[in-house]
Amino acid sequence: MTKRETSIQTRMQIMAAAFTIVHKNGFRATGVNEILEGTGLTKGAFYHYFKSKNDLIHAIVDEILIQMIDDLWLGPLSGADDPITRFQEVFRTTKVDRESVLYGCPLNNLAVEMAPVDEEFRRRVEKAYQHWSGGYADILRQGQKRGTVRTDIDADQAGAFIVAAFGGCRARAKNAGDPEELFRCHRQLDRYLETLRPAPDR
Amino acid sequence: MTKRETSIQTRMQIMAAAFTIVHKNGFRATGVNEILEGTGLTKGAFYHYFKSKNDLIHAIVDEILIQMIDDLWLGPLSGADDPITRFQEVFRTTKVDRESVLYGCPLNNLAVEMAPVDEEFRRRVEKAYQHWSGGYADILRQGQKRGTVRTDIDADQAGAFIVAAFGGCRARAKNAGDPEELFRCHRQLDRYLETLRPAPDR
Amino acid sequence: MTKRETSIQTRMQIMAAAFTIVHKNGFRATGVNEILEGTGLTKGAFYHYFKSKNDLIHAIVDEILIQMIDDLWLGPLSGADDPITRFQEVFRTTKVDRESVLYGCPLNNLAVEMAPVDEEFRRRVEKAYQHWSGGYADILRQGQKRGTVRTDIDADQAGAFIVAAFGGCRARAKNAGDPEELFRCHRQLDRYLETLRPAPDR
Amino acid sequence: MTKRETSIQTRMQIMAAAFTIVHKNGFRATGVNEILEGTGLTKGAFYHYFKSKNDLIHAIVDEILIQMIDDLWLGPLSGADDPITRFQEVFRTTKVDRESVLYGCPLNNLAVEMAPVDEEFRRRVEKAYQHWSGGYADILRQGQKRGTVRTDIDADQAGAFIVAAFGGCRARAKNAGDPEELFRCHRQLDRYLETLRPAPDR
DNA sequence: ACGCCCGGGACGCCCCGTTGGT
DNA sequence: ACCAACGGGGCGTCCCGGGCGT
């Protein structure tokens, strides 16, 4: 394996380790040393790849979170004929492992902790949020064309709400310390989703 | 004014100052000195009233947040004949000032930041959450008795979802830095609430 | 001894310890820990009294160096009938102990190390320099009135040169690591001083 | 251009860049990265040519400073029939550009900052100092032979003083941030130099 | 030989929540 | 109710080696 490749991998390794711990404990509660501990690397490596701890998180938002949104939440819905039903399925069978459910939505966590403190964070997180809810909006619009989604609703607002409510539900489950809480919450979200379906007949 | 009274007042003064700053910046980003700055008091006073910074927040959750939940969110709904409509009104006309809307829901903020780090926090916040969603559940149950709320829904789960979605919406608006985002979100929450009404009849 | 008094003493203790080490090794080569080591105090105490390491040195310049200039260099000359001779005596019999001679002139050291890097330093050091050379100028002017100093020389420039040359001599002795170098240097400075005397007669 | 030649050039490039920054900011305030920045080279190159940052400065003292002393300060005086007058001219018309005057004498800077901290530095700087003041002494001795310099003065001590006072003057001007201060200082040094001339007549 | 990239750690300054003595 | 002192980290920087490529 070439040197360049291991280098990229080292960088990723740091980002992955950081993501996990920050997801769990939050940004400020996570020390750089703590991040490094698991990797066997040292400060030298860290500050070789990232200008600062903040910079690391910026990279995580841009490179990891966006990716996760695509893979976990947008991907499974793409091309769905009936997005509403697919939404409900996805939320019911999300692949997120039981443990990490309890750490809340990573994006939501960052927004809540950092938005008022660091403008740069806020901007990046905002971009990710818009990517996410914008993705949902597009999917809903496709449904509208196919007749599986009501046409008298604002797809953008619906997409935004789904994301927001989803974040709220995960936050709630996080504090409850109970994954079931999340699924109970989702069942209510299902009710909301139902309202997006076209009127049954008539 | 007796000495005892000023004492109680000093304690409250600290809690109020802390609440404001912590609501804005979060727990870890708020220093004890920062809290004290505005009050003219010193560390000595602080540690006279509170064992630790954590202890202060515990008190804030127990004494201030619970109170706010009662005053702002449960009170306006008590005795409502048609809770659903009242919910929608409350969310539309919330008295929270525009600025503090952007700091997010204080309870949600604490949950997200502290739940995984400090078990004692989590427990207190959980109690507050249950007080809140439990209050909503009671109100919904009363509606069920009066026929203004469907009887085939689980009032507890509905109450919990309303609280969770509300927190999610505020978090979203917080990161957007735009109060309008909150109101857009609420309009979607209205749709959910509609699903709790009894079927029109037929 | 009252609390206030010990407090002032603690502060002074830190400053004294810092002065010694910084005089010897320079500002940047001196760590805060190193300063504290000798005192038995800890970081907490340090940052209670000084906002930063820079702030400490600022205080040292303002409070210790100015004092030393008065005591060691201006005081012995005050009221001298024949300043030139007194200058020569003072430089010959300076009370500075042999060891600290080799660390150079503290003011000169700071000027050389910090002037280009920290403007605030420069300003404070400049004030001290002017206090010093200004003091010499005053003394020379008194001599001019009494007829023991030529009247056709600029007292300010002469004062400034004495200070500058003195600093240069100490710097030179410092690098030589030999106190004798300083005294050899002073003997040449004596020649300069002689030129400030009124022309013998005629 | 042969490979060997570019190699030597690269080495020089590093030394030149380092000299400029170190002259300005001092040794400890100058980082290796900072030195390299302007050159387009990287650490690898640096440590290929120099064992350490200290080693680099050693080389600078030996190769650059000695050269500068010869070119700027000894050369213009060599073979002078009347060294005293020549001295005065040289100090009045020094070629050092106005900006770098304000950084002080490079040799003096190093002496003041590093002498007590690094013995190896001290030794090298000492050698340079002796080269310089020794050169002056030789020139004065030649004057003595020619009758343009008093014979009852110690040429070594006089040479040393000139160098020391010169350093002191530059240091003073450096902290004043004013080149004029240097020239005012030089005018006083002129007075000293006059005392080295043979008694006028008799 | 020359030069670069990656990585290593030690240490720097500073800040923080906290405890005693008064 | 306060001021003084504590000491443990926090992040970031710095100087420096080794392995790879040219």
Side-chain angles (χ1 to χ4, degrees):
Chain A
M1 171 166 39
T2 124
K3 206 168 176 187
R4 177 134 198 98
E5 275 164 344
T6 51
S7 174
I8 290 180
Q9 225 171 310
T10 302
R11 191 184 119 102
M12 248 311 164
Q13 194 188 356
I14 296 175
M15 288 173 65
F19 172 76
T20 304
I21 311 187
V22 169
H23 183 203
K24 176 164 182 220
N25 292 336
F27 176 73
R28 301 188 72 116
T30 303
V32 172
N33 282 321
E34 195 183 351
I35 293 170
L36 262 11
E37 247 161 44
T39 65
L41 297 165
T42 62
K43 292 265 183 71
F46 185 92
Y47 283 94
H48 175 68
Y49 290 105
F50 305 98
K51 299 197 336 278
S52 66
K53 193 181 143 192
N54 280 24
D55 186 47
L56 162 68
I57 306 295
H58 297 162
I60 289 182
V61 174
D62 288 352
E63 300 174 36
I64 298 192
L65 289 189
I66 296 273
Q67 193 62 43
M68 284 181 76
I69 290 169
D70 282 339
D71 293 349
L72 286 177
W73 308 113
L74 295 181
L77 283 150
S78 82
D81 212 58
D82 171 4
I84 307 298
T85 305
R86 191 72 75 83
F87 262 120
Q88 294 169 337
E89 285 167 11
V90 166
F91 286 137
R92 200 173 307 123
T93 64
T94 172
K95 317 280 182 314
V96 180
D97 54 288
R98 246 168 157 62
E99 189 191 24
S100 92
V101 162
L102 293 183
Y103 302 149
C105 169
L107 197 59
N108 188 55
N109 287 357
L110 280 177
V112 167
E113 186 183 359
M114 302 303 293
V117 175
D118 184 305
E119 172 64 13
E120 181 63 16
F121 264 69
R122 199 193 61 73
R123 253 198 306 268
R124 308 235 174 191
V125 169
E126 189 60 23
K127 234 176 47 191
Y129 260 132
Q130 275 164 12
H131 177 68
W132 191 352
S133 62
Y136 279 176
D138 287 343
I139 288 160
L140 290 172
R141 270 187 284 268
Q142 284 174 22
Q144 288 177 322
K145 280 187 198 147
R146 290 184 189 147
T148 53
V149 172
R150 297 179 73 120
T151 53
D152 62 347
I153 56 128
D154 182 324
D156 286 313
Q157 291 188 19
F161 178 72
I162 296 171
V163 169
F166 173 70
C169 289
R170 281 192 78 169
R172 188 63 196 83
K174 173 183 186 175
N175 196 81
D178 176 10
E180 285 316 312
E181 185 63 35
L182 178 62
F183 297 115
R184 276 194 292 272
C185 226
H186 278 346
R187 234 162 293 152
Q188 302 300 310
L189 187 52
D190 282 351
R191 299 184 70 87
Y192 165 79
L193 290 165
E194 287 297 332
T195 73
L196 304 181
R197 291 192 195 278
D201 52 75
R202 201 158 346 256
Chain B
M1 172 163 43
T2 96
K3 211 161 177 190
R4 176 136 198 93
E5 275 164 344
T6 51
S7 174
I8 289 181
Q9 223 171 309
T10 302
R11 192 184 118 99
M12 244 314 163
Q13 195 188 356
I14 296 175
M15 289 173 64
F19 171 75
T20 304
I21 309 186
V22 169
H23 183 203
K24 177 164 182 220
N25 293 334
F27 176 73
R28 300 191 69 118
T30 302
V32 172
N33 283 320
E34 197 182 351
I35 293 170
L36 262 14
E37 245 162 46
T39 67
L41 297 166
T42 63
K43 297 267 188 70
F46 184 90
Y47 282 93
H48 175 67
Y49 290 107
F50 305 98
K51 297 196 344 273
S52 68
K53 191 180 146 191
N54 280 22
D55 185 47
L56 161 68
I57 308 295
H58 297 161
I60 288 180
V61 174
D62 289 351
E63 300 173 36
I64 298 191
L65 289 190
I66 295 273
Q67 192 64 42
M68 284 181 76
I69 290 169
D70 282 339
D71 293 349
L72 287 177
W73 308 113
L74 295 182
L77 283 151
S78 81
D81 211 56
D82 173 3
I84 306 298
T85 305
R86 190 71 75 84
F87 262 121
Q88 295 171 336
E89 287 166 10
V90 167
F91 285 138
R92 199 173 308 123
T93 66
T94 173
K95 315 284 181 315
V96 182
D97 54 287
R98 244 166 159 65
E99 189 192 24
S100 91
V101 162
L102 293 182
Y103 301 150
C105 168
L107 197 60
N108 189 53
N109 287 357
L110 281 177
V112 167
E113 186 182 0
M114 303 303 294
V117 176
D118 184 306
E119 172 64 12
E120 180 63 17
F121 262 70
R122 199 193 60 73
R123 255 200 304 270
R124 308 235 175 190
V125 169
E126 189 59 23
K127 234 176 47 190
Y129 260 132
Q130 275 164 12
H131 176 69
W132 191 354
S133 62
Y136 280 176
D138 288 343
I139 288 160
L140 290 172
R141 269 188 285 268
Q142 284 174 23
Q144 288 178 322
K145 279 187 198 147
R146 291 184 188 147
T148 53
V149 172
R150 295 178 76 118
T151 53
D152 63 346
I153 56 123
D154 182 324
D156 285 314
Q157 291 188 17
F161 177 72
I162 296 170
V163 168
F166 173 70
C169 289
R170 283 192 76 169
R172 187 62 195 82
K174 173 182 185 174
N175 196 80
D178 177 9
E180 287 314 313
E181 186 63 34
L182 179 61
F183 298 115
R184 278 194 291 274
C185 226
H186 279 344
R187 232 162 295 151
Q188 301 301 310
L189 188 52
D190 282 351
R191 299 183 71 87
Y192 165 77
L193 289 165
E194 288 296 333
T195 71
L196 303 181
R197 291 190 195 278
D201 56 74
R202 193 168 346 254
Chain C
M1 171 163 42
T2 114
K3 203 162 176 193
R4 176 134 198 99
E5 275 164 344
T6 50
S7 173
I8 290 179
Q9 226 171 307
T10 302
R11 193 184 119 101
M12 247 311 165
Q13 196 189 352
I14 296 175
M15 289 173 65
F19 172 76
T20 304
I21 310 187
V22 170
H23 183 202
K24 179 167 179 215
N25 292 336
F27 176 73
R28 300 188 70 116
T30 302
V32 171
N33 282 320
E34 197 182 349
I35 293 170
L36 262 11
E37 247 161 43
T39 65
L41 295 165
T42 62
K43 296 271 186 64
F46 184 92
Y47 284 93
H48 175 65
Y49 289 106
F50 306 98
K51 301 196 333 278
S52 67
K53 192 181 143 192
N54 278 25
D55 185 48
L56 162 68
I57 307 295
H58 296 161
I60 288 181
V61 174
D62 289 352
E63 299 174 35
I64 298 192
L65 288 190
I66 296 273
Q67 194 62 41
M68 284 181 76
I69 290 169
D70 282 338
D71 292 349
L72 286 177
W73 308 113
L74 295 182
L77 282 150
S78 83
D81 213 56
D82 172 2
I84 306 298
T85 306
R86 190 71 75 83
F87 261 121
Q88 295 169 337
E89 286 167 10
V90 167
F91 285 137
R92 200 173 308 120
T93 65
T94 173
K95 317 282 181 313
V96 182
D97 54 287
R98 247 171 156 63
E99 189 191 23
S100 91
V101 163
L102 293 182
Y103 300 149
C105 168
L107 198 60
N108 189 53
N109 288 357
L110 280 178
V112 167
E113 186 183 359
M114 303 304 293
V117 176
D118 183 307
E119 172 64 13
E120 180 64 16
F121 263 70
R122 200 194 61 74
R123 254 200 305 270
R124 309 233 174 193
V125 169
E126 189 61 22
K127 233 176 49 189
Y129 260 132
Q130 275 165 11
H131 177 69
W132 191 352
S133 62
Y136 279 176
D138 288 343
I139 287 161
L140 290 172
R141 269 189 285 268
Q142 284 174 24
Q144 287 178 322
K145 280 189 196 141
R146 289 184 188 145
T148 53
V149 171
R150 296 180 73 121
T151 54
D152 63 347
I153 56 124
D154 182 325
D156 285 314
Q157 290 189 19
F161 178 72
I162 296 171
V163 169
F166 172 70
C169 289
R170 282 192 76 171
R172 186 64 194 82
K174 174 184 185 173
N175 196 80
D178 176 9
E180 286 315 314
E181 186 62 34
L182 178 60
F183 297 116
R184 279 194 291 274
C185 224
H186 278 343
R187 234 163 293 152
Q188 301 301 310
L189 187 53
D190 282 351
R191 298 184 70 87
Y192 165 78
L193 289 166
E194 287 297 332
T195 71
L196 303 182
R197 289 193 197 277
D201 53 77
R202 198 160 348 253
Chain D
M1 172 163 41
T2 98
K3 210 158 177 195
R4 174 137 200 94
E5 275 165 342
T6 49
S7 173
I8 290 181
Q9 223 171 309
T10 301
R11 191 184 119 101
M12 245 313 163
Q13 194 188 357
I14 295 175
M15 289 174 65
F19 172 76
T20 303
I21 310 187
V22 169
H23 183 203
K24 177 164 181 218
N25 292 336
F27 175 73
R28 300 191 70 118
T30 302
V32 172
N33 282 319
E34 197 182 349
I35 293 170
L36 263 13
E37 245 161 47
T39 67
L41 297 166
T42 63
K43 299 267 184 67
F46 184 92
Y47 284 95
H48 176 68
Y49 289 106
F50 306 98
K51 297 196 342 273
S52 68
K53 189 180 147 193
N54 280 25
D55 186 48
L56 162 67
I57 307 294
H58 298 161
I60 289 181
V61 174
D62 289 353
E63 299 174 38
I64 298 191
L65 289 190
I66 296 273
Q67 193 62 41
M68 284 182 75
I69 290 168
D70 282 339
D71 292 349
L72 286 176
W73 308 113
L74 296 181
L77 283 150
S78 82
D81 211 56
D82 173 2
I84 306 297
T85 305
R86 191 71 76 84
F87 261 121
Q88 294 170 337
E89 287 166 9
V90 167
F91 285 138
R92 201 172 307 122
T93 65
T94 174
K95 316 280 181 315
V96 180
D97 56 287
R98 245 169 160 64
E99 190 192 24
S100 91
V101 162
L102 292 183
Y103 302 150
C105 168
L107 197 60
N108 189 53
N109 288 357
L110 280 178
V112 166
E113 188 183 358
M114 302 305 293
V117 175
D118 184 305
E119 173 63 13
E120 181 63 17
F121 262 69
R122 200 192 61 73
R123 254 198 306 268
R124 309 238 174 187
V125 169
E126 189 59 24
K127 234 176 46 190
Y129 260 132
Q130 274 163 14
H131 177 69
W132 191 353
S133 63
Y136 279 175
D138 288 343
I139 287 161
L140 290 171
R141 269 189 286 268
Q142 284 173 23
Q144 287 177 325
K145 281 189 195 141
R146 291 182 188 150
T148 53
V149 172
R150 296 179 74 120
T151 54
D152 64 346
I153 55 124
D154 181 326
D156 285 316
Q157 291 189 17
F161 178 73
I162 295 170
V163 169
F166 173 70
C169 289
R170 281 192 77 170
R172 186 64 195 81
K174 173 182 186 173
N175 197 81
D178 177 10
E180 286 315 311
E181 186 63 34
L182 179 61
F183 297 116
R184 278 194 291 274
C185 225
H186 278 345
R187 234 162 294 151
Q188 301 301 309
L189 188 52
D190 281 352
R191 298 184 71 89
Y192 166 78
L193 289 166
E194 287 297 330
T195 72
L196 303 181
R197 290 190 195 279
D201 53 74
R202 197 155 350 251

